[in-house]
């Protein structure tokens, strides 16, 4: 078979999944934004030949798709590099106030050693899923008076809640979950009067897509394994 004939060869499900994995890595590294990722992923699953697959990853670090061998074993995914997210310094922001309004701290920002916030007849959101941390132990001092503050942490982070509630409360459901090695510790303190401070553990949108695609890959590998046994 000549090299010229390769682009016309029909692509398999496993070939498309290999391209999807390159796209997921590019999304996680910031090489693609969400819109570009979704467009390319859609084109990947519509592709029928190697010629249609190759341009999708041509401008990414991984080489374009050729005729690959299909592996039926799944590599162990590496855990997050927490050491790269403990950056020191003073943090992007150290306080926030919402009076009959709201505030947000989310995306790529640096959580300081101590962050103080007030929500009075309003609400606030502190999202640490994509944040860096000024120290391995950080504190959120939240004061909620007839209002609420939501704290969102990524999986692997240890959470300690020490706030006091009077006709209000602090969410303790995420306490007691051991942190991953090297992961930061988030302490939530403060005071809630006729208000509340919630703590949730969530994946980022990119991580949710990665998990969904990994599950799809596992299904394809199981199907391939059953076909080989047949």
């Amino acid at each position: 078979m000549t090299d010229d004939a390769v682009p016309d060869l029909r692509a398999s499900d496993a070939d498309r999944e290999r391209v999807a994995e390159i796209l997921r890595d590019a999304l996680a590294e910031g090489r693609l934004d969400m819109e570009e990722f979704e467009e390319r992923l859609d084109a990947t699953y519509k592709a029928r030949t190697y010629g249609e697959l190759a341009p999708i990853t041509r401008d990414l670090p991984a080489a374009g798709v050729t005729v690959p061998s299909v592996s039926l074993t799944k590599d162990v995914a590496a855990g997050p590099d927490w050491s790269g997210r403990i950056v020191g310094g003073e943090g992007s922001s150290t306080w926030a106030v919402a009076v009959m309004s709201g505030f947000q701290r989310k995306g790529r920002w640096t959580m300081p050693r101590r962050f103080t916030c007030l929500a009075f007849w309003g609400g606030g959101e502190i999202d640490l899923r994509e944040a860096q941390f000024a120290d391995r132990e950080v504190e959120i001092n939240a004061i909620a008076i007839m209002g609420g503050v939501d704290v969102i942490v990524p999986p692997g982070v240890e959470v300690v809640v020490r706030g006091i509630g009077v006709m209000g409360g602090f969410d303790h459901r995420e306490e007691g979950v051991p942190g991953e090695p090297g992961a930061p510790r988030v302490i939530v303190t403060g005071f809630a009067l006729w208000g509340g401070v919630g703590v949730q553990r969530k994946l980022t949108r990119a991580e949710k897509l990665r998990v969904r695609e990994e599950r799809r890959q596992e299904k394809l590998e199981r199907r391939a394994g059953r076909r080989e046994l047949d």
Side-chain angles (χ1 to χ4, degrees):
M1 182 184 299
T2 65
D3 292 340
D4 293 337
V6 170
D8 295 327
L9 288 179
R10 301 285 290 187
S12 68
D13 287 340
D15 299 325
R16 284 183 279 272
E17 286 302 325
R18 289 177 185 274
V19 175
E21 183 64 27
I22 294 172
L23 295 177
R24 289 193 292 271
D25 289 342
L27 176 66
E29 294 167 357
R31 300 180 192 277
L32 296 177
D33 60 28
M34 186 58 64
E35 183 177 354
E36 291 173 317
F37 171 77
E38 291 175 347
E39 288 176 357
R40 295 195 191 197
L41 191 65
D42 183 60
T44 297
Y45 289 121
K46 289 180 179 178
R48 293 290 175 265
T49 67
Y50 288 109
E52 293 172 340
L53 281 177
I56 295 173
T57 57
R58 185 167 289 157
D59 61 345
L60 298 175
V65 173
T66 57
V67 184
S69 59
V70 178
S71 172
L72 298 180
T73 61
K74 184 175 178 61
D75 295 333
V76 178
D81 181 13
W82 291 110
S83 63
R85 295 179 63 174
I86 312 295
V87 296
E90 298 300 322
S92 305
S93 173
T94 59
W95 61 275
V97 175
V99 178
M100 292 183 287
S101 61
F103 70 81
Q104 281 188 327
R105 295 293 184 273
K106 62 188 300 184
R108 296 184 181 276
W109 68 294
T110 301
M111 170 69 193
R113 291 175 177 82
R114 181 179 172 87
F115 183 89
T116 299
C117 58
L118 166 67
F120 178 72
W121 281 14
E125 180 181 86
I126 304 168
D127 191 337
L128 301 177
R129 288 177 291 177
E130 297 181 7
Q132 296 177 319
F133 298 83
D135 206 342
R136 197 169 298 281
E137 181 172 289
V138 296
E139 179 180 337
I140 297 172
N141 180 35
I143 302 170
I145 301 175
M146 292 180 286
V149 176
D150 288 324
V151 178
I152 303 173
V153 301
V157 169
E158 181 186 1
V159 177
V160 178
V161 180
R162 297 175 180 166
I164 299 172
V166 176
M167 291 181 287
F170 280 73
D171 190 347
H172 290 260
R173 287 176 296 179
E174 296 300 336
E175 273 196 304
V177 179
E180 293 177 353
R185 185 180 193 221
V186 178
I187 301 173
V188 181
T189 66
F191 178 72
L193 174 64
W194 287 4
V197 177
V199 181
Q200 303 178 66
R201 200 180 297 271
K202 292 183 178 180
L203 295 171
T204 63
R205 186 178 180 187
E207 289 168 339
K208 288 178 182 177
L209 283 171
R210 180 184 291 274
V211 169
R212 187 174 67 187
E213 293 304 317
E214 285 176 352
R215 289 174 179 169
R216 187 203 296 265
Q217 176 70 13
E218 289 171 356
K219 289 181 181 178
L220 289 172
E221 289 176 353
R222 286 197 295 269
R223 289 174 187 169
R226 286 197 296 267
R227 285 197 295 267
E228 284 206 345
L229 290 174
D230 294 341

